[in-house]
């Protein structure tokens, strides 16, 4: 199912709450969001549609760039959303994996940017008659991730779309606005721990709980009834994904109380 209009609008609103001075330059995106009949998550909406990029920073402070063969430009990994994407950050992670081979679990969202874009850019795309695509606009939502692997991650390029890979220092990042924002980041920021739980209840007002294993020192509140959920893992693009993963992983021995 395509990403919902509401999810995109909520994400853009959260970004503008941090960057209200960018409202005017993002006017075309806001106009598109006001056209509720348009599916701006679809690449076939040529009045303008959403794309997602992944800005990955390694432990040396370098930013991942790839050579996009279609444009001939060196940019961050990214591309169109797909119907199977659960969220905009998840779309960015999928594009990262498809274009570079870097798996989602090799990166973690930059603290404070788990669900909010680090940058939003609007740019024109030339017509592509061979694909039946007229000139149109991309609303590019860029999400920020940190490479958390201590060792070098394997890279497998998407040969039909990517011609090479490069880790660039911040002062060589292509976009001036991105450079400015990256330079303002705390250099030693570390991902914070976070937990997420699911409130699941029926029409009788009964909540779904599960009994924690009794492993003192290993399990938080051992032997207690609790909501289903747990701690965020590196591969979770957002706390929503933490909840979904925990619901899939939790044991079947649950109870209504």
């Amino acid at each position: 199912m395509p990403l919902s209009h509401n999810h995109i609008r909520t994400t853009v609103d959260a970004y503008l709450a941090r960057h209200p001075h960018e409202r005017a330059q993002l006017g075309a995106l806001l106009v598109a969001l006001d056209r509720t009949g348009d599916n701006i998550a679809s690449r076939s909406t040529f009045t303008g549609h959403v794309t997602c990029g992944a800005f990955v920073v390694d432990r040396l402070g370098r930013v991942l760039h790839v050579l996009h063969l279609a444009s001939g430009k060196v940019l961050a990994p990214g591309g169109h959303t797909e119907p199977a994407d659960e969220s905009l950050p998840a779309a960015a992670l999928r594009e990262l994996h498809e274009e570079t081979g870097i798996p989602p679990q090799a990166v973690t969202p930059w603290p404070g940017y788990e669900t909010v874009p680090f940058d939003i850019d609007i740019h024109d795309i030339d017509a592509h008659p061979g694909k039946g695509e007229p000139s149109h606009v991309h609303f590019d939502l860029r999400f920020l991730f940190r490479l958390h692997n201590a060792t070098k991650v394997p890279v497998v390029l998407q040969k039909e779309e990517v011609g090479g890979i490069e880790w660039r220092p911040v002062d060589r990042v292509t976009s001036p606005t991105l450079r400015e924002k990256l330079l303002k980041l705390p250099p030693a920021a570390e991902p914070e721990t976070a937990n997420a739980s699911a409130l699941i209840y029926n029409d009788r007002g009964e909540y779904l709980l599960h009994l924690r294993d009794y492993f003192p020192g290993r399990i938080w509140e051992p032997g207690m009834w609790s909501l289903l959920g747990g701690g965020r893992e590196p591969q979770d693009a957002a706390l929503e994904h933490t909840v979904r993963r925990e619901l899939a992983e939790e044991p079947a021995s649950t109870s209504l109380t």
Side-chain angles (χ1 to χ4, degrees), residues 2 21 27 37 63 122 133 140-141 156 174 209 239 247:
H21 60 285
V63 183
I122 300 177
E133 296 179 351
D140 195 29
L141 280 62
V156 182
T174 308
L209 304 177
L239 289 176
L247 289 176

Side-chain angles (χ1 to χ4, degrees), residues 52-99:
C52 292
F55 273 79
V56 180
V57 182
D58 71 3
R59 290 185 178 271
L60 298 177
R62 301 175 303 176
V63 183
L64 178 65
H65 286 69
V66 297
L67 172 60
H68 282 271
L69 296 177
S71 66
K73 297 180 180 179
V74 178
L75 304 167
H80 294 93
T81 65
E82 299 288 348
D85 293 329
E86 293 183 355
S87 69
L88 293 162
L93 284 174
R94 176 185 51 74
E95 285 290 335
L96 172 68
H97 180 58
E98 289 178 358
E99 293 189 352

Side-chain angles (χ1 to χ4, degrees), residues 167-230:
W167 289 93
R168 290 188 172 187
V170 173
D171 61 4
R172 292 187 57 229
V173 169
T174 308
S175 166
T177 57
L178 279 166
R179 264 201 316 273
E180 182 182 353
K181 289 175 181 175
L182 287 166
L183 287 168
K184 292 179 180 177
L185 283 175
E190 292 291 341
E192 298 177 356
T193 58
N195 294 292
S197 299
L199 282 168
I200 302 174
Y201 58 92
N202 62 21
D203 55 6
R204 297 189 298 275
E206 299 171 325
Y207 286 82
L208 180 65
L209 304 177
H210 79 126
L211 185 63
R212 293 185 178 276
D213 291 327
Y214 191 77
F215 295 131
R218 290 175 52 195
I219 300 293
W220 179 62
E221 293 188 336
M224 300 292 291
W225 291 97
S226 70
L227 297 171
L228 278 73

Side-chain angles (χ1 to χ4, degrees), residues 38-61:
D38 287 353
N39 178 14
I40 66 169
S42 171
R43 65 186 303 165
S44 61
T45 301
F46 294 116
T47 52
H49 53 255
V50 165
T51 57
C52 292
F55 273 79
V56 180
V57 182
D58 71 3
R59 290 185 178 271
L60 298 177

